[in-house]
mmCIF file of all heavy atoms in Angstrom:
data_model
loop_
_atom_site.group_PDB
_atom_site.id
_atom_site.type_symbol
_atom_site.label_atom_id
_atom_site.label_comp_id
_atom_site.label_asym_id
_atom_site.label_seq_id
_atom_site.Cartn_x
_atom_site.Cartn_y
_atom_site.Cartn_z
ATOM 1 N N GLN A 616 85.322 108.871 90.938
ATOM 2 C CA GLN A 616 84.491 108.610 92.115
ATOM 3 C C GLN A 616 83.799 107.253 91.998
ATOM 4 O O GLN A 616 83.668 106.522 92.992
ATOM 5 C CB GLN A 616 83.458 109.721 92.309
ATOM 6 C CG GLN A 616 84.047 111.011 92.836
ATOM 7 C CD GLN A 616 84.762 110.829 94.148
ATOM 8 O OE1 GLN A 616 85.946 111.173 94.294
ATOM 9 N NE2 GLN A 616 84.107 110.248 95.146
ATOM 10 N N LYS A 617 83.358 106.887 90.807
ATOM 11 C CA LYS A 617 82.697 105.590 90.625
ATOM 12 C C LYS A 617 83.704 104.453 90.869
ATOM 13 O O LYS A 617 83.351 103.435 91.485
ATOM 14 C CB LYS A 617 82.112 105.512 89.211
ATOM 15 C CG LYS A 617 81.473 104.177 88.863
ATOM 16 C CD LYS A 617 80.390 103.778 89.850
ATOM 17 C CE LYS A 617 79.171 104.669 89.795
ATOM 18 N NZ LYS A 617 78.077 104.179 90.687
ATOM 19 N N ILE A 618 84.922 104.598 90.376
ATOM 20 C CA ILE A 618 85.952 103.583 90.610
ATOM 21 C C ILE A 618 86.159 103.385 92.109
ATOM 22 O O ILE A 618 86.248 102.261 92.609
ATOM 23 C CB ILE A 618 87.267 103.972 89.914
ATOM 24 C CG1 ILE A 618 87.105 103.884 88.383
ATOM 25 C CG2 ILE A 618 88.426 103.075 90.377
ATOM 26 C CD1 ILE A 618 88.266 104.463 87.594
ATOM 27 N N ILE A 619 86.215 104.486 92.843
ATOM 28 C CA ILE A 619 86.438 104.417 94.300
ATOM 29 C C ILE A 619 85.231 103.767 94.975
ATOM 30 O O ILE A 619 85.383 102.913 95.864
ATOM 31 C CB ILE A 619 86.717 105.828 94.853
ATOM 32 C CG1 ILE A 619 88.054 106.335 94.320
ATOM 33 C CG2 ILE A 619 86.720 105.807 96.380
ATOM 34 C CD1 ILE A 619 88.334 107.801 94.631
ATOM 35 N N GLU A 620 84.019 104.166 94.560
ATOM 36 C CA GLU A 620 82.804 103.574 95.132
ATOM 37 C C GLU A 620 82.770 102.050 94.949
ATOM 38 O O GLU A 620 82.244 101.319 95.786
ATOM 39 C CB GLU A 620 81.560 104.170 94.474
ATOM 40 C CG GLU A 620 81.240 105.595 94.887
ATOM 41 C CD GLU A 620 80.098 106.154 94.067
ATOM 42 O OE1 GLU A 620 79.372 105.353 93.421
ATOM 43 O OE2 GLU A 620 79.938 107.394 94.053
ATOM 44 N N LEU A 621 83.333 101.589 93.821
ATOM 45 C CA LEU A 621 83.310 100.180 93.493
ATOM 46 C C LEU A 621 84.473 99.396 94.129
ATOM 47 O O LEU A 621 84.638 98.209 93.846
ATOM 48 C CB LEU A 621 83.324 99.977 91.983
ATOM 49 C CG LEU A 621 82.073 100.481 91.243
ATOM 50 C CD1 LEU A 621 82.309 100.540 89.739
ATOM 51 C CD2 LEU A 621 80.882 99.545 91.546
ATOM 52 N N GLY A 622 85.264 100.069 94.955
ATOM 53 C CA GLY A 622 86.341 99.381 95.656
ATOM 54 C C GLY A 622 87.732 99.659 95.138
ATOM 55 O O GLY A 622 88.723 99.136 95.687
ATOM 56 N N GLY A 623 87.851 100.454 94.087
ATOM 57 C CA GLY A 623 89.161 100.821 93.568
ATOM 58 C C GLY A 623 89.787 101.958 94.354
ATOM 59 O O GLY A 623 89.193 102.528 95.279
ATOM 60 N N GLU A 624 91.013 102.302 93.983
ATOM 61 C CA GLU A 624 91.749 103.374 94.639
ATOM 62 C C GLU A 624 92.487 104.165 93.580
ATOM 63 O O GLU A 624 92.999 103.600 92.602
ATOM 64 C CB GLU A 624 92.710 102.814 95.679
ATOM 65 C CG GLU A 624 93.489 103.877 96.432
ATOM 66 C CD GLU A 624 94.513 103.309 97.406
ATOM 67 O OE1 GLU A 624 94.562 102.056 97.553
ATOM 68 O OE2 GLU A 624 95.287 104.085 98.001
ATOM 69 N N VAL A 625 92.574 105.487 93.767
ATOM 70 C CA VAL A 625 93.315 106.346 92.853
ATOM 71 C C VAL A 625 94.305 107.156 93.657
ATOM 72 O O VAL A 625 93.933 107.824 94.624
ATOM 73 C CB VAL A 625 92.365 107.301 92.081
ATOM 74 C CG1 VAL A 625 93.172 108.163 91.105
ATOM 75 C CG2 VAL A 625 91.271 106.522 91.354
ATOM 76 N N ARG A 626 95.577 107.068 93.275
ATOM 77 C CA ARG A 626 96.629 107.825 93.969
ATOM 78 C C ARG A 626 97.243 108.803 92.977
ATOM 79 O O ARG A 626 97.760 108.405 91.926
ATOM 80 C CB ARG A 626 97.709 106.905 94.502
ATOM 81 C CG ARG A 626 97.225 105.934 95.574
ATOM 82 C CD ARG A 626 98.388 105.095 96.077
ATOM 83 N NE ARG A 626 97.904 103.976 96.901
ATOM 84 C CZ ARG A 626 98.696 102.998 97.366
ATOM 85 N NH1 ARG A 626 100.011 103.021 97.088
ATOM 86 N NH2 ARG A 626 98.185 102.021 98.097
ATOM 87 N N PHE A 627 97.227 110.085 93.350
ATOM 88 C CA PHE A 627 97.848 111.127 92.524
ATOM 89 C C PHE A 627 99.260 111.398 92.995
ATOM 90 O O PHE A 627 99.678 110.921 94.058
ATOM 91 C CB PHE A 627 96.993 112.394 92.580
ATOM 92 C CG PHE A 627 95.615 112.196 92.015
ATOM 93 C CD1 PHE A 627 94.480 112.189 92.824
ATOM 94 C CD2 PHE A 627 95.428 111.987 90.650
ATOM 95 C CE1 PHE A 627 93.219 111.992 92.325
ATOM 96 C CE2 PHE A 627 94.174 111.784 90.113
ATOM 97 C CZ PHE A 627 93.055 111.786 90.952
ATOM 98 N N ASN A 628 100.001 112.137 92.183
ATOM 99 C CA ASN A 628 101.402 112.482 92.473
ATOM 100 C C ASN A 628 102.206 111.220 92.762
ATOM 101 O O ASN A 628 103.070 111.200 93.628
ATOM 102 C CB ASN A 628 101.462 113.455 93.665
ATOM 103 C CG ASN A 628 100.603 114.697 93.430
ATOM 104 O OD1 ASN A 628 100.763 115.374 92.421
ATOM 105 N ND2 ASN A 628 99.693 114.958 94.352
ATOM 106 N N SER A 629 101.897 110.175 91.989
ATOM 107 C CA SER A 629 102.520 108.867 92.174
ATOM 108 C C SER A 629 103.137 108.416 90.849
ATOM 109 O O SER A 629 102.480 107.763 90.043
ATOM 110 C CB SER A 629 101.507 107.834 92.679
ATOM 111 O OG SER A 629 100.981 108.196 93.930
ATOM 112 N N LYS A 630 104.376 108.771 90.646
ATOM 113 C CA LYS A 630 105.079 108.487 89.400
ATOM 114 C C LYS A 630 105.834 107.167 89.515
ATOM 115 O O LYS A 630 106.610 106.962 90.462
ATOM 116 C CB LYS A 630 106.059 109.613 89.097
ATOM 117 C CG LYS A 630 106.894 109.446 87.842
ATOM 118 C CD LYS A 630 107.794 110.658 87.680
ATOM 119 C CE LYS A 630 108.751 110.517 86.538
ATOM 120 N NZ LYS A 630 109.640 111.716 86.413
ATOM 121 N N VAL A 631 105.593 106.286 88.566
ATOM 122 C CA VAL A 631 106.321 104.998 88.548
ATOM 123 C C VAL A 631 107.705 105.261 87.975
ATOM 124 O O VAL A 631 107.850 105.608 86.806
ATOM 125 C CB VAL A 631 105.566 103.948 87.749
ATOM 126 C CG1 VAL A 631 106.427 102.691 87.550
ATOM 127 C CG2 VAL A 631 104.275 103.569 88.468
ATOM 128 N N THR A 632 108.709 105.121 88.815
ATOM 129 C CA THR A 632 110.090 105.420 88.407
ATOM 130 C C THR A 632 110.899 104.192 88.026
ATOM 131 O O THR A 632 111.987 104.307 87.481
ATOM 132 C CB THR A 632 110.811 106.197 89.539
ATOM 133 O OG1 THR A 632 110.565 105.511 90.785
ATOM 134 C CG2 THR A 632 110.284 107.625 89.622
ATOM 135 N N ASP A 633 110.339 103.015 88.314
ATOM 136 C CA ASP A 633 111.019 101.783 87.899
ATOM 137 C C ASP A 633 110.031 100.630 87.973
ATOM 138 O O ASP A 633 108.987 100.725 88.644
ATOM 139 C CB ASP A 633 112.205 101.461 88.827
ATOM 140 C CG ASP A 633 113.278 100.606 88.144
ATOM 141 O OD1 ASP A 633 113.029 100.149 87.003
ATOM 142 O OD2 ASP A 633 114.347 100.396 88.739
ATOM 143 N N ILE A 634 110.325 99.556 87.227
ATOM 144 C CA ILE A 634 109.545 98.330 87.353
ATOM 145 C C ILE A 634 110.467 97.252 87.881
ATOM 146 O O ILE A 634 111.687 97.259 87.638
ATOM 147 C CB ILE A 634 108.927 97.907 86.000
ATOM 148 C CG1 ILE A 634 110.006 97.685 84.930
ATOM 149 C CG2 ILE A 634 107.885 98.917 85.551
ATOM 150 C CD1 ILE A 634 109.465 97.094 83.624
ATOM 151 N N ILE A 635 109.897 96.307 88.625
ATOM 152 C CA ILE A 635 110.672 95.205 89.210
ATOM 153 C C ILE A 635 110.333 93.956 88.420
ATOM 154 O O ILE A 635 109.164 93.557 88.350
ATOM 155 C CB ILE A 635 110.332 95.031 90.690
ATOM 156 C CG1 ILE A 635 110.645 96.344 91.458
ATOM 157 C CG2 ILE A 635 111.137 93.876 91.298
ATOM 158 C CD1 ILE A 635 110.053 96.373 92.841
ATOM 159 N N VAL A 636 111.333 93.385 87.783
ATOM 160 C CA VAL A 636 111.128 92.232 86.905
ATOM 161 C C VAL A 636 112.008 91.085 87.386
ATOM 162 O O VAL A 636 113.193 91.252 87.639
ATOM 163 C CB VAL A 636 111.497 92.578 85.444
ATOM 164 C CG1 VAL A 636 111.319 91.363 84.531
ATOM 165 C CG2 VAL A 636 110.634 93.748 84.951
ATOM 166 N N GLU A 637 111.392 89.898 87.534
ATOM 167 C CA GLU A 637 112.132 88.706 87.916
ATOM 168 C C GLU A 637 111.767 87.591 86.927
ATOM 169 O O GLU A 637 110.598 87.236 86.813
ATOM 170 C CB GLU A 637 111.757 88.285 89.343
ATOM 171 C CG GLU A 637 112.128 89.339 90.407
ATOM 172 C CD GLU A 637 111.670 88.955 91.790
ATOM 173 O OE1 GLU A 637 111.147 87.812 91.958
ATOM 174 O OE2 GLU A 637 111.828 89.803 92.707
ATOM 175 N N GLY A 638 112.795 87.126 86.221
ATOM 176 C CA GLY A 638 112.553 86.053 85.245
ATOM 177 C C GLY A 638 111.564 86.437 84.161
ATOM 178 O O GLY A 638 110.697 85.652 83.802
ATOM 179 N N HIS A 639 111.710 87.623 83.631
ATOM 180 C CA HIS A 639 110.849 88.157 82.580
ATOM 181 C C HIS A 639 109.391 88.280 83.018
ATOM 182 O O HIS A 639 108.479 88.305 82.182
ATOM 183 C CB HIS A 639 110.936 87.266 81.321
ATOM 184 C CG HIS A 639 112.296 87.232 80.704
ATOM 185 N ND1 HIS A 639 112.837 88.297 80.028
ATOM 186 C CD2 HIS A 639 113.222 86.226 80.697
ATOM 187 C CE1 HIS A 639 114.054 87.978 79.611
ATOM 188 N NE2 HIS A 639 114.312 86.726 80.009
ATOM 189 N N LYS A 640 109.171 88.371 84.330
ATOM 190 C CA LYS A 640 107.822 88.571 84.863
ATOM 191 C C LYS A 640 107.804 89.815 85.753
ATOM 192 O O LYS A 640 108.724 90.037 86.560
ATOM 193 C CB LYS A 640 107.350 87.372 85.664
ATOM 194 C CG LYS A 640 107.137 86.113 84.846
ATOM 195 C CD LYS A 640 106.645 84.978 85.744
ATOM 196 C CE LYS A 640 106.425 83.709 84.937
ATOM 197 N NZ LYS A 640 105.934 82.591 85.798
ATOM 198 N N LEU A 641 106.769 90.612 85.623
ATOM 199 C CA LEU A 641 106.601 91.759 86.480
ATOM 200 C C LEU A 641 106.243 91.304 87.906
ATOM 201 O O LEU A 641 105.324 90.472 88.078
ATOM 202 C CB LEU A 641 105.479 92.674 85.937
ATOM 203 C CG LEU A 641 105.162 93.912 86.787
ATOM 204 C CD1 LEU A 641 106.259 94.956 86.612
ATOM 205 C CD2 LEU A 641 103.803 94.483 86.386
ATOM 206 N N THR A 642 106.959 91.827 88.878
ATOM 207 C CA THR A 642 106.610 91.503 90.287
ATOM 208 C C THR A 642 106.294 92.737 91.112
ATOM 209 O O THR A 642 105.723 92.629 92.199
ATOM 210 C CB THR A 642 107.746 90.736 90.967
ATOM 211 O OG1 THR A 642 108.940 91.557 90.979
ATOM 212 C CG2 THR A 642 108.041 89.407 90.251
ATOM 213 N N GLY A 643 106.654 93.919 90.596
ATOM 214 C CA GLY A 643 106.368 95.121 91.366
ATOM 215 C C GLY A 643 106.760 96.401 90.670
ATOM 216 O O GLY A 643 107.330 96.369 89.560
ATOM 217 N N LEU A 644 106.497 97.514 91.328
ATOM 218 C CA LEU A 644 106.782 98.833 90.802
ATOM 219 C C LEU A 644 107.504 99.662 91.869
ATOM 220 O O LEU A 644 107.296 99.449 93.073
ATOM 221 C CB LEU A 644 105.482 99.555 90.452
ATOM 222 C CG LEU A 644 104.474 98.819 89.558
ATOM 223 C CD1 LEU A 644 103.176 99.592 89.486
ATOM 224 C CD2 LEU A 644 105.066 98.601 88.176
ATOM 225 N N GLU A 645 108.327 100.575 91.406
ATOM 226 C CA GLU A 645 108.902 101.592 92.297
ATOM 227 C C GLU A 645 108.196 102.909 92.020
ATOM 228 O O GLU A 645 108.014 103.294 90.876
ATOM 229 C CB GLU A 645 110.404 101.744 92.021
ATOM 230 C CG GLU A 645 111.075 102.788 92.899
ATOM 231 C CD GLU A 645 112.516 103.033 92.505
ATOM 232 O OE1 GLU A 645 112.741 103.845 91.570
ATOM 233 O OE2 GLU A 645 113.399 102.383 93.090
ATOM 234 N N ILE A 646 107.780 103.582 93.092
ATOM 235 C CA ILE A 646 106.998 104.805 92.941
ATOM 236 C C ILE A 646 107.745 105.952 93.585
ATOM 237 O O ILE A 646 108.178 105.877 94.751
ATOM 238 C CB ILE A 646 105.601 104.652 93.613
ATOM 239 C CG1 ILE A 646 104.863 103.468 92.970
ATOM 240 C CG2 ILE A 646 104.785 105.922 93.436
ATOM 241 C CD1 ILE A 646 103.608 103.071 93.703
#
């Protein structure tokens, strides 16, 4: 709740099934 109050967000039932990498750099996630 404190994280949310401070502007963060929490998402449940959200499994990261892949990572997106371009040129050895992370650019995104697949959920």
